[in-house]
Amino acid sequence: MSIVKTKMDNQLLKTAFNQELKLGKIALKKNDFKTSFYHFENAHVLGQKQLISHTISHYWMLVLGIQSKNSKEILGQVVRIIASVLFTCIWVPKGNTGGSNISPIKKMPIRKELKKYF
């Protein structure tokens, strides 16, 4: 029974991750950088324990940095993409939203709207 529950939980997490990415991309197309970043942060929290999802969330933050011409975000995301590839399977700081405005090693409380997935 716990294997079935774990698979269902993983699928819910994956679905939520994909939904947050989708919302972030929609906002990004409208140049609504604040909303886009918020959704990419949520995607980061949801996907940070999975190598591919974690790296994808940083990729989209990089795209946002490029589109918004934010050099701090661009540099920060390049470093975080490399770190996500190297360290995701070893350790990630729970709840960290993944932006360059936050220390990459800082643990953070999980946002209220995301708690149901953990």
Side-chain angles (χ1 to χ4, degrees):
M1 184 106 176
S2 66
I3 293 173
V4 172
K5 182 177 178 353
T6 301
K7 284 186 180 184
M8 287 175 52
D9 290 345
N10 287 343
Q11 187 57 48
L12 287 173
L13 195 64
K14 184 177 181 180
T15 299
F17 171 82
N18 287 327
Q19 180 64 17
E20 290 294 337
L21 273 185
K22 180 180 176 181
L23 292 170
K25 291 175 190 179
I26 290 169
L28 187 59
K29 282 184 183 178
K30 297 175 184 178
N31 290 328
D32 183 353
F33 302 126
K34 184 176 179 181
T35 301
S36 179
F37 192 69
Y38 180 82
H39 289 295
F40 292 151
E41 286 179 318
N42 281 349
H44 179 268
V45 171
L46 294 166
Q48 70 184 152
K49 289 190 176 184
Q50 301 296 322
L51 175 62
I52 293 172
S53 298
H54 190 189
T55 306
I56 287 171
S57 67
H58 284 297
Y59 167 80
W60 281 103
M61 287 183 188
L62 173 62
V63 171
L64 184 147
I66 293 167
Q67 193 166 326
S68 65
K69 298 178 174 79
N70 182 333
S71 57
K72 180 181 176 189
E73 198 63 44
I74 294 167
L75 179 60
Q77 291 308 323
V78 168
V79 171
R80 283 163 173 78
I81 288 169
I82 294 165
S84 70
V85 171
L86 297 174
F87 298 112
T88 296
C89 296
I90 300 168
W91 176 80
V92 291
K94 184 177 180 182
N96 187 293
T97 54
S100 294
N101 58 333
I102 301 292
S103 167
I105 60 170
K106 180 179 181 180
K107 290 183 183 179
M108 299 172 68
I110 294 175
R111 291 177 175 164
K112 182 180 176 182
E113 66 268 26
L114 302 179
K115 284 187 177 185
K116 62 187 171 190
Y117 300 107
F118 296 94

